[in-house]
Amino acid sequence: MNEVQGRDVLDTMWRIRHFEERVGRLKRADEVHGLIHSSLGQEGVAAGVCRQLRDDDAVYSGHRAHGHAIAKGAPMDRVMAELMGRDDGLCHGLGGSMHLVDVEHGLMGATGVVGGNVPIALGSALAAQLRGDDAVAVVFFGDGAVQAGHFNETINLATLWGSPLILVCENNGFAEFTLRSAHTVVERVSDVVAPYGLTRETIDGNDVLAVWDAFGRFLEAARRGAGPLLLECLTHRLSGHYEGDPAKYREAIAQDEWQQVDPILRLQRHGIGAGWFGSDEAAAIEAGAVAQVEAAVAFARESPWPDEALIAEMVYAGAVDA
Ligand SMILES: Cc1ncc(C[n+]2csc(CCOP(=O)(O)OP(=O)(O)O)c2C)c(N)n1
């Protein structure tokens, strides 16, 4: 990561952090709708991966999708409008938090079906193969998704075909409210796929420099036809499973301990030490992120509700005559 990339990644992580915190407050005020899963604490994975991708690289996400969308380049005001159910939202406000799509920027979709986008991402990777270009497909999923049958089916076909698919597991140690050790005996997701012989690595996902470095290598390999690959990022979600989860099933991380592993503060310390920016400039980047989030909220509040006729048109494809 160089100085320019470092600033961009820092800016992206602050935008995600403040977006998620603001969404939490809006949810409590009943201004955003539906179930909200925050990616607070996991910003390093989204930014370290997506900021290296092009618009023609496909990204798929799951239920914890806001950070991936923002990092992939979806306009934050339109993401916010989507969460508020407004017409200027990415999907006219009809999809909501778990169905963010922005084809222009290569965000091909998020889903609430755990692991549901893993085989669909393989479809995008296969399409790139058939087109003969060097685009890749990236799919984000949690460690819980690995127990779904279609996860193994996808790895089997992807390795058989040598597809340019990069699987990015955000292993935060929990599947919903369940500790990993309560649903599997295999500690590392990268070990689950070992028999298929694909390139795989487990890294500290709270170290965005490590994410950048490992994903950069994986991306280059996938572009030259060495896919599929699996990157397991060990990370920590600061929030409960969903907004409103009292999270009584786990112990809160101590504030001073979190400060040491927080991906944003870590990059800030590194950037200041490396002379990329001073502490004033880092503070200005954060302030800019806060202002952009507020602008997104104002934009979303101004946006009209979607038209009722559009709702029927978008929900029922090819309507049958009554
Ligand atoms: C197919 C399917 N089964 C079950 C659920 C209920 N569910 C929602 S999130 C979740 C666990 C997800 O865990 P993980 O993939 O590790 O993601 P995390 O929430 O930890 O980020 C489950 C089981 C679902 N949404 N879809």
Side-chain angles (χ1 to χ4, degrees), residues 175-245:
E176 227 166 11
F177 321 104
T178 309
L179 261 177
R180 182 159 176 81
S181 57
H183 69 81
T184 180
V185 294
V186 188
E187 200 184 326
R188 294 276 191 257
V189 169
S190 56
D191 287 340
V192 176
V193 300
Y196 294 96
L198 74 169
T199 301
R200 61 205 163 86
E201 210 170 305
T202 299
I203 59 164
D204 177 356
N206 284 348
D207 177 356
V208 69
L209 293 159
V211 176
W212 185 274
D213 176 61
F215 185 76
R217 283 185 282 108
F218 276 32
L219 182 58
E220 202 247 326
R223 291 215 195 282
R224 62 176 159 74
L229 311 97
L230 181 140
L231 185 64
E232 177 180 19
C233 302
L234 303 178
T235 186
H236 180 84
R237 68 167 145 84
L238 268 180
S239 57
H241 174 61
Y242 59 88
E243 275 308 326
D245 171 12

Side-chain angles (χ1 to χ4, degrees), residues 1-13 15 47 51-52 208-209 212 267 270-271 274-277 281 285:
M1 188 186 293
N2 62 30
E3 181 177 333
V4 175
Q5 294 158 341
R7 282 166 197 264
D8 175 58
V9 167
L10 184 66
D11 172 65
T12 304
M13 289 195 292
R15 286 190 296 122
R51 299 313 296 164
Q52 302 196 61
V208 69
L209 293 159
W212 185 274
L267 180 64
H270 176 85
W276 290 350
F277 38 73
E281 209 181 332
I285 292 175

Side-chain angles (χ1 to χ4, degrees), residues 10-28 32 38-43 66-67 70 76 80 83 238 243 262 264-265 268 282-297:
L10 184 66
D11 172 65
T12 304
M13 289 195 292
W14 274 129
R15 286 190 296 122
I16 299 171
R17 171 77 48 99
H18 286 288
F19 183 94
E20 296 290 41
E21 286 181 347
R22 191 70 173 94
V23 166
R25 296 201 296 278
L26 289 166
K27 175 70 183 165
R28 290 189 283 283
V32 301
S38 164
S39 66
L40 271 181
Q42 302 186 183
E43 301 88 350
H66 309 164
I70 292 169
M76 214 161 47
M80 187 63 88
L83 269 52
L238 268 180
E243 275 308 326
D262 181 332
I264 307 184
L265 299 182
Q268 249 183 213
I285 292 175
E286 183 183 3
V290 173
Q292 287 176 62
V293 170
E294 283 315 312
V297 175

